[in-house]
Amino acid sequence: MRLFYILPLIMAQLSYATKYVMYLTGQHNVVPSPALVSHITHVELAFMPPSLFNQEDPSEFPLFTDVETVRSQFAPGTKVMVAIGGWGDTEGFSRAAASEGGRDLFARNVGAMVEVTGADGLMVRVGVDIDWEYPGGNGEDYKQISNSEKAWEIEAYPLLLSSIRSALGPSKLMSAAVPGLRRDMLAFTNTTIPLIDSSLDFFNVMTYDLMNRRDNVTKHHTGLTLSSDATDAYLSNGIPAEKANLGFAFYVKWFRTAPNSGCDVHPIGCKTALLEDPLTGGDLGRAGQFAWCDAIPDELQESFGKAMKWGRYDAGGGGTFFWDREEGLFWSWEAEFGIGKKMEEILEQRGLGGVFAWGLGEDGNEWRHLRALNMAYEEYEMRKGTTKDEL
Ligand SMILES: *[C@@H]1O[C@H](CO)[C@@H](O)[C@H](O)[C@H]1NC(C)=O
Ligand SMILES: *[C@@H]1O[C@H](CO)[C@@H](O)[C@H](O)[C@H]1NC(C)=O
């Protein structure tokens, strides 16, 4: 074997540590002090639009920050990756995937973006994260373009990833964010996953938003049971455990419940109001979310205050929640306590490769959830170290 092929394998062997991946978003581009980000191994900058890579000769690849600035804010050696896509931005992926020519053009452009060199002549970008939400359908536009019209994407998605991998070469990092609900895993079957897996270094399993406006009963949006189920769906369909990362959410979600919802008796699994327009798929304004760093909307302040004061952990489904009886609002979020528990019961028990969170700046300005994730990560690494020594 030529060194060209062996080197990445050696490097993969050396990077034994648990991955700690963090999205840094354009909406909340805030990085705390170095001490708080020292465990982070990969930063994924979200997002570049996929349509950028459909162009014949894109002259530049604009982003909300530049890679050198990001590098200076994290520990030396932290990998910086550019995330492409995001919720509602799928058209460019579809266009790329539709033909061999489209896939090649897209892949070539992604390769060029990743190869962009900095002013000092050093290669500054080390990888890419593909956030197609979702190949095969159930995206933002699912009422406008039906899933059956997107069924071809199920076979085209692995082909697109494979073209991108060819353009990147074996040493660049490539990951994908993948849906957390079985109903959205249209393109992730035991037939397609081995093909998808052969192109990727790791998968970010989006174990959050597991309750959203398409639901009609209350659930924990990033809870333990639903997160386990998502993880197991991928593992049983062929993702190697060490390539799966478990997702954490640094934001809170709220949902309006129905009159006579039954939430007073059983707050988990009780009826919501109609949250989405059944014809257009449009948002009816009866559900929403905001990051920990965001200003709390006026009309939600009182209810949010109650949630923070009275919210409790449901050991059954493994999530923190509050049902506000006066307002008829259900709140769901990842509390500090749940973070360590999810790490132990999902990541540790299944030997997953790492964790990730959406997103770093979202946890400002108190960084409570980041600290909890740091601590859970440290404790896990310590337990792992102990086990290794005992062996
Ligand atoms: C693949 O999944 C299908 C559908 O869920 C199932 O019927 C089949 O047995 C699975 N095949 C393997 C090899 O696990
Ligand atoms: C609630 O949603 C489920 C699917 O998530 C669906 O099967 C059921 O028909 C819905 N019920 C109502 C009353 O809309």
Side-chain angles (χ1 to χ4, degrees), residues 193-267:
I193 280 185
L195 304 172
I196 295 167
D197 179 51
S198 65
S199 296
L200 297 177
D201 293 287
F202 56 87
F203 293 79
N204 292 334
V205 182
M206 293 188 277
T207 47
Y208 44 72
D209 297 336
L210 302 176
M211 175 177 182
N212 59 50
R213 67 172 194 246
R214 293 179 192 166
D215 287 297
N216 52 29
V217 295
T218 57
K219 299 192 264 179
H220 299 298
H221 98 81
T222 183
L224 184 68
T225 306
L226 290 173
S227 298
S228 302
D229 182 62
T231 310
D232 290 342
Y234 287 102
L235 298 187
S236 66
N237 276 338
I239 293 187
E242 67 277 9
K243 284 174 76 171
N245 293 337
L246 176 67
F248 292 85
F250 291 170
Y251 54 88
V252 55
K253 290 180 86 92
W254 59 272
F255 302 89
R256 192 157 292 288
T257 52
N260 308 314
S261 59
C263 299
D264 49 342
V265 184
H266 52 96

Side-chain angles (χ1 to χ4, degrees), residues 189-191 236-237:
T189 66
N190 57 12
T191 317
S236 66
N237 276 338

Side-chain angles (χ1 to χ4, degrees), residues 20-39:
Y20 190 151
V21 182
M22 197 48 86
Y23 283 97
L24 181 64
T25 73
Q27 300 95 293
H28 300 104
N29 178 18
V30 184
V31 178
S33 67
L36 283 177
V37 298
S38 63
H39 296 313

Side-chain angles (χ1 to χ4, degrees), residues 72-150:
S72 71
Q73 292 170 306
F74 291 87
T78 306
K79 310 276 192 292
V80 181
M81 299 165 72
V82 173
I84 302 171
W87 180 245
D89 196 355
T90 61
E91 206 257 323
F93 283 131
S94 291
R95 199 163 1 133
S99 68
E100 194 176 340
R103 291 191 290 270
D104 285 347
L105 174 64
F106 191 92
R108 229 177 20 250
N109 285 332
V110 172
M113 185 273 286
V114 170
E115 288 287 347
V116 165
T117 52
D120 58 1
L122 292 172
M123 200 124 61
V124 291
R125 292 184 172 141
V126 297
V128 66
D129 177 60
I130 305 296
D131 269 25
W132 182 344
E133 299 181 21
Y134 313 102
N138 270 8
E140 168 95 287
D141 59 355
Y142 79 135
K143 297 282 182 180
Q144 284 75 43
I145 307 176
S146 69
N147 288 355
S148 59
E149 289 172 80
K150 291 190 172 192

Side-chain angles (χ1 to χ4, degrees), residues 151-163:
W152 63 271
E153 293 176 354
I154 296 168
E155 277 179 36
Y157 175 63
L159 298 177
L160 177 63
L161 295 182
S162 162
S163 302

